[in-house]
C-alpha cells in the first residue's frame, strides 16, 4: 500500500513537472515569436497605437489614484519614526526613493495587470474559442504578429511611462501629507534633489519595462491557448492574473537582489 | 495559382479515445463544386480543418495537385492561403470590427487593392447577399443568418482559387438558401475555383453539386455524381437522400 502511495505521488509530481515545463516551453516560443515579429515588416502601425492607448492612456486614472494614495500613506507611516530622530528632512528623499525604486513600478504593474492583462486574456480567449484566431490563420494573417506583438510592445513601452507618472504623483501625495503633518515645503523637498540619483529612476524604469512584458505576454498566452468555451475563457483570465502577479513579485525580488 | 485538384490520402485523426477520421480517401475536382455530406458529428468540420491545414492529422496526407500541405514550410503555406477562402460553420467573424471591415479584412490585410476598390467590392458582395446598407453595422447586432452571410462575403472577397464552405445555408430561410446556392454556382463559373461545400441541405446538394462525397463512420462511404446518389440502392445512402423513413415509403 505504501509503495502504491509512493508511486502515485511520484506520478503526480511528474505530471505537474511535465505540465509546467510544457507551459513554459510554449510560453517562451510564443513570446519569442511575438518579439521577433515586431522587427519584421510589414507593420500595422495602427494596431500598435491602438494597444498603447488601451494599455497606457486608459490606465492613467487608476495609476494616478494608486500612486497618489501610496505616496500619501507611505509618508504617513514613516513621518512618526523619522520625527523621533529629528530626521524630517529625510522624509521627502525616502518617499521619492521608495516610489521610484519599488512602489511605483510594482503597484503600477499590479494595477495594469488587473485592468489590461486580464482583458487581453479574455479577449484573445474569446477569439480562440469562437475560431477567430483560426480565421486569421486561414487568411494568411499570422495571429501572433497581428494580435500579440502589438500588445507586448504596448506593455513594454507604456509601463515605464505610467510608472514615471505614478512616481511623480506619489511624491506629490507624500508632499500633501507631510504638509498636513506640519513639515514645511523646504524640509520635504529640499534634499530630494541631492539624495535621489538618476540610477534610482533607471532601476524603476527597467523593472517596469520587464513587468510590462510579463503582464502582456502572460495575458496573451493564457488567451491564445485557452480551451473549452466560455468556462475556459474565465479560467484563462483568472489564471493570467494570478500568474502575472506572482511573476511580477518574484521578478521584482530577483531583479532587486541580483541586478540592482 | 490555378484551381487545384485536392487529393486526401488515408487521413486519420483521433481526439483522445475518439477516432473521428478513420482513413479518409477522396478527390476534390479542380474547378468543380464538390459536396461533403454525412451525419452531424461525423467529422466533416474536422475534415475541412485538415484541408485548410488548421489541424494536423495523426497520419495520412493531403495534396493540392502534387503539393503536400502538411510538408509545406511557412512561406509555402502563406502563398497557398492567399488563394484560399474558408467559411467557418459558426462564421468566426471578428467581433471587434464592423460588418464592412470584416468583409474587407483579407484585402486590407494583404493590401491587394486600393482602399476605395476594397470598399466597393465589399459593398457589392454584401448587396449580392441581401445585406445592402449593413456596411457600418457592428457584428454583435447581427442575427445568426446575417453573420453567416457576412462570413461568406469575407471568404469571397479575394476571389480565391479554393473555397471551403462549412454549412453555408444552415440557419437561412429557403429564399436566402437559394440566393447562397446561386452565388456559389455563379462564383464557381466565374472564377473557376475548386469549391468544397459541407451541407445538410439535400435538395441543394442534388441540384448544384458536381460531385458528392458521403462520409460515414470516419470514411468516405460513397463518392459520385448526384445521379449516382439518386439511383443508389444502399441503405446508408438512401437514408441520407430520402430521410429516415425511406424504407416505409417503399
Ligand atoms: N478540437 C477538438 N477537440 C476534441 N474533439 C473535437 C474537436 N473538434 C471536433 N471534435 C469532435 O469530433 C467530432 C466531429 O466533429 P465535427 O467535425 O465538428 O462534426 P460535423 O461532421 O458535424 O462537422 C465530434 O464528436 C467533436 O466533438
Ligand atoms: Mg460541422
Amino acid at each position: 500500500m505504501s509503495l502504491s502511495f509512493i508511486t502515485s505521488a511520484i506520478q503526480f509530481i511528474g505530471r505537474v513537472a511535465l505540465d509546467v515545463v510544457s507551459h513554459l516551453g510554449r510560453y517562451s516560443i510564443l513570446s519569442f515569436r511575438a518579439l521577433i515579429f515586431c522587427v519584421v515588416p510589414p507593420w500595422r502601425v495602427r494596431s500598435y497605437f491602438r494597444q498603447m492607448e488601451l494599455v497606457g492612456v486608459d490606465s492613467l486614472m487608476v495609476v494616478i489614484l494608486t500612486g497618489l494614495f501610496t505616496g500619501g500613506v507611505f509618508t504617513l507611516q514613516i513621518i512618526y519614526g523619522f520625527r523621533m530622530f529629528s530626521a524630517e528632512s529625510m522624509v521627502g528623499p525616502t518617499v521619492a526613493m521608495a516610489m521610484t525604486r519599488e512602489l511605483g513600478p510594482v503597484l503600477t504593474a499590479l494595477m495594469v495587470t488587473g485592468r489590461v492583462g486580464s482583458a487581453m486574456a479574455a479577449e484573445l480567449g474569446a477569439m480562440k474559442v469562437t475560431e477567430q484566431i483560426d480565421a486569421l490563420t486561414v487568411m494568411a494573417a499570422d495571429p501572433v504578429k497581428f494580435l500579440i506583438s502589438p500588445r507586448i510592445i504596448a506593455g513594454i513601452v507604456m509601463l515605464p511611462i505610467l510608472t514615471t507618472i505614478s512616481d511623480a504623483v506619489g511624491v506629490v501625495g507624500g508632499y500633501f501629507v507631510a504638509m498636513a503633518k506640519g513639515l514645511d515645503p523646504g524640509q520635504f523637498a529640499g534634499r530630494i534633489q541631492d539624495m535621489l540619483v538618476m540610477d534610482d529612476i533607471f532601476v524603476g524604469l527597467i523593472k517596469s519595462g520587464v513587468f510590462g512584458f510579463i503582464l502582456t505576454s502572460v495575458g496573451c498566452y493564457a488567451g491564445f491557448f485557452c480551451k473549452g468555451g466560455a468556462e475556459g475563457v474565465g479560467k484563462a483570465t483568472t489564471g493570467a492574473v494570478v500568474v502575472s502577479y506572482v511573476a511580477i513579485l518574484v521578478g521584482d525580488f530577483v531583479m532587486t537582489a541580483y541586478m540592482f | 495559382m490555378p484551381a487545384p485538384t485536392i487529393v486526401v490520402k488515408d487521413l486519420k485523426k483521433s481526439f483522445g479515445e475518439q477516432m473521428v477520421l478513420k482513413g479518409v480517401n477522396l478527390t476534390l475536382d479542380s474547378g468543380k463544386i464538390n459536396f461533403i455530406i454525412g451525419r452531424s458529428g461525423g467529422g466533416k468540420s474536422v475534415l475541412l480543418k485538415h484541408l485548410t491545414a488548421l489541424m494536423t492529422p495523426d497520419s495520412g496526407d493531403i495534396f493540392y495537385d502534387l503539393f503536400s500541405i502538411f510538408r509545406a514550410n511557412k512561406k509555402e503555406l502563406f502563398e497557398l492561403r492567399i488563394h484560399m477562402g474558408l467559411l467557418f460553420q459558426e462564421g468566426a467573424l471578428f467581433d471587434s470590427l464592423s460588418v464592412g471591415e470584416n468583409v474587407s479584412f483579407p484585402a486590407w490585410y494583404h493590401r491587394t487593392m486600393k482602399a476605395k476598390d476594397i470598399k466597393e467590392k465589399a459593398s457589392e458582395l454584401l448587396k449580392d447577399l441581401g445585406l445592402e446598407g449593413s456596411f457600418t453595422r457592428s457584428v454583435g447586432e447581427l442575427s445568426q443568418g446575417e453573420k453567416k452571410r457576412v462570413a461568406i462575403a469575407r471568404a469571397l472577397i479575394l476571389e480565391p482559387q479554393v473555397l471551403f464552405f462549412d454549412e453555408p445555408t444552415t440557419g437561412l430561410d429557403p429564399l436566402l438558401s437559394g440566393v447562397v446556392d446561386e452565388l456559389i454556382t455563379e462564383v464557381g463559373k466565374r472564377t473557376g475555383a475548386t469549391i468544397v461545400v459541407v451541407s445538410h441541405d439535400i435538395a441543394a446538394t442534388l441540384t448544384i453539386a458536381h460531385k458528392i462525397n458521403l462520409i460515414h463512420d470516419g470514411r468516405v462511404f460513397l463518392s459520385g455524381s448526384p445521379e449516382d446518389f439518386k439511383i443508389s440502392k444502399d441503405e446508408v445512402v438512401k437514408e441520407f437522400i430520402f430521410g429516415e423513413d425511406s424504407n416505409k415509403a417503399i
Side-chain angles (χ1 to χ4, degrees):
Chain A
M1 196 201 102
S2 69
L3 191 69
S4 82
F5 172 77
I6 292 171
T7 46
S8 66
I10 291 175
Q11 270 173 4
F12 175 77
I13 294 169
R15 251 199 317 272
V16 171
L18 276 180
D19 244 28
V20 170
V21 171
S22 93
H23 274 298
L24 274 177
R26 284 193 301 176
Y27 166 76
S28 313
I29 291 169
L30 188 73
S31 311
F32 183 72
R33 284 188 58 210
L35 287 176
I36 291 291
F37 275 134
C38 299
V39 293
V40 179
W43 296 285
R44 311 218 152 259
V45 180
R46 211 180 352 148
S47 51
Y48 281 81
F49 281 116
R50 173 90 190 107
Q51 289 305 321
M52 288 186 190
E53 185 186 345
L54 287 175
V55 176
V57 182
D58 294 356
S59 301
L60 209 53
M61 207 54 220
V62 67
V63 164
I64 285 175
L65 281 174
T66 316
L68 193 67
F69 282 95
T70 307
V73 80
F74 186 73
T75 308
L76 214 49
Q77 291 286 2
I78 65 173
I79 211 161
Y80 290 102
F82 279 38
R83 267 224 170 96
M84 279 182 226
F85 304 99
S86 313
E88 280 94 343
S89 65
M90 289 305 290
V91 171
T94 307
V95 173
M97 231 182 279
M99 281 307 297
T100 52
R101 291 184 70 104
E102 254 343 295
L103 298 175
V106 172
L107 289 173
T108 301
L110 296 184
M111 295 312 288
V112 176
T113 301
R115 251 202 90 254
V116 173
S118 61
M120 285 179 180
E123 190 187 359
L124 294 199
M127 290 186 78
K128 171 82 180 181
V129 300
T130 57
E131 299 182 314
Q132 294 176 50
I133 290 183
D134 283 344
L136 281 171
T137 308
V138 174
M139 293 173 197
D142 193 304
V144 175
K145 182 176 171 67
F146 186 66
L147 297 173
I148 301 187
S149 300
R151 285 172 168 77
I152 292 185
I153 291 302
I156 296 176
V157 172
M158 294 319 280
L159 260 283
I161 296 176
L162 288 173
T163 300
T164 309
I165 294 168
S166 167
D167 294 349
V169 172
V171 174
V172 171
Y175 175 85
F176 284 132
V177 170
M179 294 308 104
K181 288 287 168 192
L183 264 65
D184 61 65
Q187 254 178 334
F188 183 85
R191 300 195 59 190
I192 291 182
Q193 222 170 36
D194 47 84
M195 297 287 299
L196 187 75
V197 290
M198 226 35 208
D199 271 4
D200 296 320
I201 296 174
F202 278 136
V203 166
L205 293 187
I206 289 171
K207 277 184 179 175
S208 65
V210 173
F211 298 157
F213 169 78
I214 291 175
L215 76 94
T216 49
S217 58
V218 170
C220 289
Y221 171 78
F224 201 73
F225 286 104
C226 116
K227 279 193 198 120
E231 196 193 342
V233 177
K235 274 189 192 151
T237 309
T238 9
V241 172
V242 173
V243 170
S244 295
Y245 277 2
V246 174
I248 286 167
L249 294 172
V250 172
D252 181 46
F253 180 83
V254 171
M255 281 190 281
T256 309
Y258 294 103
M259 289 163 64
F260 308 118
Chain B
M1 187 179 98
T5 297
I6 304 171
V7 178
V8 180
K9 281 229 165 91
D10 206 27
L11 200 73
K12 291 183 183 153
K13 179 73 173 182
S14 302
F15 297 106
E17 299 286 285
Q18 181 198 14
M19 193 159 184
V20 177
L21 304 178
K22 301 178 179 172
V24 171
N25 287 288
L26 56 81
T27 302
L28 302 163
D29 295 338
S30 156
K32 294 278 160 52
I33 301 180
N34 302 269
F35 269 66
I36 296 172
I37 60 173
R39 74 176 178 79
S40 174
K44 303 181 298 297
S45 297
V46 168
L47 178 58
L48 277 197
K49 282 179 190 163
H50 283 86
L51 286 164
T52 48
L54 282 173
M55 282 183 182
T56 43
D58 299 335
S59 67
D61 212 337
I62 293 175
F63 299 91
Y64 278 53
D65 292 327
L66 294 174
F67 179 79
S68 158
I69 57 170
F70 298 119
R71 271 173 267 160
N73 63 33
K74 274 212 145 12
K75 193 166 178 322
E76 290 166 332
L77 214 48
F78 177 89
E79 291 298 330
L80 189 65
R81 280 175 166 155
I82 297 267
H83 302 286
M84 197 189 264
L86 167 62
L87 165 72
F88 285 80
Q89 188 168 349
E90 313 292 341
L93 294 176
F94 304 124
D95 40 29
S96 58
L97 303 179
S98 74
V99 166
E101 287 167 337
N102 261 283
V103 178
S104 315
F105 186 90
W108 170 80
Y109 188 88
H110 294 295
R111 300 183 172 136
T112 55
M113 302 178 231
K114 283 197 233 109
K116 190 173 133 282
D117 297 340
I118 296 177
K119 183 151 189 210
E120 209 165 275
K121 174 98 196 172
S123 308
E124 195 182 305
L125 278 168
L126 285 170
K127 188 170 158 226
D128 290 348
L129 286 155
L131 288 165
E132 200 171 8
S134 293
F135 200 91
T136 53
R137 285 170 76 189
S138 84
V139 167
E141 66 185 58
L142 300 180
S143 75
Q144 213 52 43
E146 287 172 320
K147 278 185 186 155
K148 199 124 218 183
R149 283 177 285 151
V150 174
I152 292 174
R154 185 177 67 177
L156 291 175
I157 191 154
L158 288 183
E159 307 217 325
Q161 285 301 297
V162 200
L163 265 165
F164 300 95
F165 297 100
D166 199 344
E167 307 202 1
T169 56
T170 307
L172 301 186
D173 61 51
L175 200 67
L176 283 169
S177 296
V179 168
V180 169
D181 291 337
E182 248 169 58
L183 186 73
I184 291 174
T185 314
E186 189 265 323
V187 166
K189 279 211 189 98
R190 187 161 45 80
T191 66
T194 305
I195 296 180
V196 182
V197 185
V198 168
S199 182
H200 277 306
D201 183 348
I202 297 301
T205 307
L206 293 174
T207 344
I208 69 170
H210 294 122
K211 185 175 177 184
I212 305 171
N213 301 278
L214 170 62
I215 306 265
H216 181 71
D217 193 27
R219 293 187 182 84
V220 175
F221 190 83
L222 177 65
S223 180
S225 68
E227 266 321 297
D228 297 336
F229 273 75
K230 280 183 209 162
I231 61 170
S232 170
K233 295 271 179 283
D234 194 284
E235 285 305 317
V236 175
V237 178
K238 273 175 21 189
E239 189 186 311
F240 268 100
I241 303 299
F242 304 109
E244 304 277 353
D245 295 335
S246 60
N247 287 327
K248 291 174 206 155
I250 299 166

